[in-house]
Amino acid sequence: MSIPALLAIAIIVLYLLNSINILKEYERGVIFRLGRVQAAKGPGVILVFRPLDQIVRVSLRQEAMEVPPQDIITRDNVTLKVNAVITLRVVDPTRAVIEVANYIYQTSQFSQTTLRSVLGEVELDQLLSHRDQLNSRIQTIIDGHTSPFGVKVVSVEVKQVDLPESMLRAMAKQAEAEREKRAKVIHAEGEYNAAAKLVDAAQAMATQPMTLQLRYLQTLTEIGVEKNTTIVFPLPMELMNLLNKSLVDHAGTSQSAENKV
């Protein structure tokens, strides 16, 4: 075999070896043959015959993209800085290549504008307490923008909400006032329940006079445990009224006897 033939065979072999491309399981190759797009190929071994063919590799794995902090004015005129994290993946490699120049950059721009517009329509309390609903709404809007070029937005999470110092102090005062309010309500309910129980106890003691004597003996027992040297003897009001009446009658009798004398 002549040297030119061997040289031609060697060139063909090298060209074929150079045309071999190996795509991983998560990769797809969009082939442009003479400028016209072919069906996406992969994974595995594919042949790219350059310069007639050109290949663009596209990853099908999920990608996390951070939305830069955005200045937002809420519906109740509170200025915030909010950032978010968006998870996306390519579902149609061909459209992701031919429809947009850079689907990551395009999705980032859609995310920033959507984040500002959606969060600007809600109040601060709603933003802090109903974050899951807002995340779902933002995801739906962004996904509607990215679907035409073959990108699926998997999730959107509002990552951080930076409040101004004045708002933080106001919220701290509000929380403190709420705690004081709950404490006063609980204390008032306790006083009301205690008063109701005391009324019930008084009614029970009124029907059974001996219960007052038993309560008195129980009080003496409690005082004795504490080793006190002073003991207080309660006197019924009926006894005091009887003594006062006796003293008044005795004084009246003495006065009558003196007048007779």
Side-chain angles (χ1 to χ4, degrees):
M1 187 176 292
S2 62
I3 295 178
L6 293 175
L7 184 60
I9 293 174
I11 292 175
I12 292 174
V13 171
L14 290 175
Y15 178 76
L16 291 176
L17 291 176
N18 188 50
S19 300
I20 295 175
N21 286 263
I22 299 177
L23 298 179
K24 299 181 178 64
E25 184 66 32
Y26 56 84
E27 288 183 327
R28 298 294 183 271
V30 180
I31 306 297
F32 290 90
R33 179 164 297 164
L34 297 177
R36 300 183 66 86
V37 66
Q38 306 295 314
K41 298 181 180 181
V45 179
I46 63 173
L47 297 177
V48 180
F49 300 105
R50 298 179 178 87
L52 301 178
D53 294 346
Q54 293 180 348
I55 183 173
V56 178
R57 294 172 180 257
V58 180
S59 175
L60 302 184
R61 293 181 295 182
Q62 291 187 7
E63 300 184 37
M65 181 186 65
E66 183 174 0
V67 181
Q70 302 295 310
D71 292 325
I72 296 172
I73 300 178
T74 60
R75 188 176 180 180
D76 49 353
N77 296 324
V78 178
T79 303
L80 305 173
K81 275 188 175 295
V82 180
N83 63 349
V85 175
I86 296 178
T87 306
L88 54 91
R89 65 184 180 90
V90 177
V91 294
D92 190 336
T94 302
R95 286 194 295 169
V97 172
I98 65 176
E99 295 290 340
V100 291
N102 188 334
Y103 66 87
I104 294 290
Y105 176 77
Q106 189 115 347
T107 305
S108 176
Q109 296 302 309
F110 283 141
S111 303
Q112 294 178 32
T113 56
T114 304
L115 190 68
R116 288 195 298 268
S117 61
V118 171
L119 298 185
E121 297 175 356
V122 299
E123 297 183 356
L124 177 61
D125 293 339
Q126 186 178 357
L127 171 60
L128 298 177
S129 59
H130 299 86
R131 191 172 295 185
D132 292 339
Q133 299 178 3
L134 295 174
N135 291 338
S136 300
R137 182 181 174 188
I138 295 172
Q139 176 187 351
T140 303
I141 296 174
I142 299 175
D143 191 54
H145 288 296
T146 60
S147 294
F149 51 86
V151 176
K152 171 66 177 177
V153 177
V154 179
S155 65
V156 176
E157 295 290 338
V158 176
K159 184 178 179 181
Q160 185 175 356
V161 179
D162 294 331
L163 297 172
E165 292 294 332
S166 58
M167 182 57 63
L168 290 176
R169 289 193 296 267
M171 294 177 66
K173 291 180 180 179
Q174 180 182 3
E176 183 178 359
E178 288 291 336
R179 287 194 295 269
E180 291 181 356
K181 173 186 174 182
R182 288 196 297 268
K184 290 180 179 180
V185 170
I186 293 172
H187 179 72
E189 290 179 352
E191 292 289 339
Y192 176 79
N193 293 333
K197 294 299 182 182
L198 288 175
V199 171
D200 295 339
Q203 292 176 354
M205 289 180 179
T207 57
Q208 297 292 335
M210 284 300 297
T211 56
L212 185 61
Q213 185 69 20
L214 293 174
R215 180 58 181 161
Y216 169 65
L217 294 176
Q218 183 181 1
T219 303
L220 291 180
T221 303
E222 293 175 358
I223 294 175
V225 172
E226 297 178 358
K227 298 180 181 180
N228 291 328
T229 57
T230 303
I231 298 178
V232 178
F233 290 93
L235 295 177
M237 293 301 299
E238 292 79 0
L239 180 59
M240 296 299 297
N241 293 333
L242 181 60
L243 290 176
N244 290 333
K245 184 177 180 181
S246 299
L247 291 175
V248 170
D249 293 342
H250 180 70
T253 304
S254 301
Q255 185 69 27
S256 298
E258 291 178 359
N259 293 335
K260 289 180 180 180
V261 174

